[in-house]
Amino acid sequence: GEDTTRPQPTEGQALSRPGAASPVALLPAAHPAARTAMSNLTWNKATQDQANRNFKRLEALIKRPDNIICADCPLKGPRWASLNLGIFVCMPCAGIHRNLGVHISKMKSVNLDKWNADWVDNMEAWGNERANKVWEANIPAGYQKPTEKDATDQSAVLERFIRDKYEHKKFKARDDAPLPPPYSGAGAQAPAPQQQRSQQAAPPRQAAPQPAPPPKTAAPPPDLLGDLMGDPTPPPQPAAAAQNDLFGSFAPPPGQQPQQQQQ
């Protein structure tokens, strides 16, 4: 009998056409997250509180290094998502995904739609980098991938690449190939925001202290009196004894005695 415990899609939320390929076949079946088909996702409308909580989780997801670039082109800042594929894409790529049909890619807006918790769970389980390791595992050498201009112009190169990638599965890894591990942050191309802030806040290393230079001999104090007289070096002063002998200049030369003493 039909499983009535799982919420069923309402009118206007038809997930696949009769006879269309099941989304289960789009991903390797070896991993539980890969078996997230449309019928396994809940489609009951989230309350506003639930949507607010899930939006915060989404905001953290699109800031992860593996999701900052569109899964299908080089444009940055994707704001659309494929629920069943678990990837974030830009607006031009989202338009092409819509043309693929909901049996291949079910698109939702990060900002405009209210998200259920299990939708966010699937996005956390995959992400752009991990999903591309499955869907772009066998791109042949020389294949022309879309450029930024192809994306902004939504050119034929962009549409051909997306259809080859998801509709025709030309590059997908073999179903028996081991799945890449979920995102863990290890080996990411760019550090997480918290890691960037801690690196910026770290103080620079200080150099080893240098030995103190030898003390310099203090210079003698300046001769202020000599500076005022115009001669910075004063002449040598006579000995103290000579200064005190007031009659030394009248004494006879050595060897001569006064005449009064000879008599």
Side-chain angles (χ1 to χ4, degrees):
E2 184 180 0
D3 183 6
T4 58
T5 60
R6 183 184 302 123
Q8 299 299 313
T10 60
E11 184 178 358
Q13 292 178 321
L15 303 180
S16 60
R17 300 187 305 270
S22 170
V24 177
L26 299 177
L27 294 173
H31 193 277
R35 297 195 297 268
T36 304
M38 293 296 187
S39 59
N40 291 333
L41 295 174
T42 59
W43 297 103
N44 56 305
K45 189 175 181 181
T47 66
Q48 189 62 48
D49 289 341
Q50 292 171 341
N52 290 340
R53 289 195 300 268
N54 295 331
F55 178 75
K56 292 180 180 179
R57 295 173 60 194
L58 276 176
E59 283 291 294
L61 281 177
I62 60 178
K63 292 177 181 178
R64 273 187 354 193
D66 59 326
N67 293 326
I68 59 177
I69 298 177
C70 174
D72 298 329
C73 77
L75 293 183
K76 295 181 180 180
R79 305 297 296 187
W80 289 81
S82 173
L83 301 185
N84 58 312
L85 300 179
I87 59 173
F88 293 97
V89 296
C90 64
M91 183 177 292
C93 291
I96 299 176
H97 273 260
R98 286 185 179 275
N99 293 335
L100 297 178
V102 295
H103 63 292
I104 295 178
S105 182
K106 178 65 176 179
M107 300 304 299
K108 287 290 182 180
S109 169
V110 172
N111 297 87
L112 303 179
D113 292 313
K114 293 182 179 180
W115 282 63
N116 292 346
D118 61 317
W119 302 357
V120 186
D121 292 341
N122 197 50
M123 303 302 296
E124 286 179 341
W126 285 96
N128 292 1
E129 186 177 276
R130 186 189 185 207
N132 279 344
K133 289 179 180 179
V134 174
W135 292 103
E136 298 183 7
N138 298 304
I139 295 182
Y143 184 92
Q144 184 181 0
K145 294 183 65 176
T147 63
E148 289 188 12
K149 189 176 187 307
D150 291 324
T152 54
D153 295 344
Q154 210 175 41
S155 68
V157 174
L158 180 68
E159 182 170 2
R160 182 196 65 182
F161 173 71
I162 292 177
R163 289 190 178 275
D164 285 348
K165 183 176 178 180
Y166 302 109
E167 184 178 27
H168 306 306
K169 296 178 284 186
K170 287 186 175 181
F171 321 126
K172 189 172 74 68
R174 293 168 52 97
D175 288 352
D176 57 354
L179 283 177
Y183 176 83
S184 63
Q189 297 179 354
Q194 181 64 31
Q195 182 180 358
Q196 288 180 336
R197 287 193 295 269
S198 61
Q199 290 176 351
Q200 293 173 358
R205 293 185 177 180
Q206 297 181 355
Q210 299 295 330
K216 296 182 179 179
T217 305
D223 188 354
L224 301 179
L225 183 59
D227 292 342
L228 294 175
M229 299 299 294
D231 186 2
T233 305
Q237 299 293 332
Q243 291 179 351
N244 296 331
D245 188 3
L246 300 179
F247 301 98
S249 58
F250 297 99
Q256 296 182 4
Q257 297 295 329
Q259 294 179 358
Q260 293 179 359
Q261 294 180 358
Q262 292 179 357
Q263 295 177 355

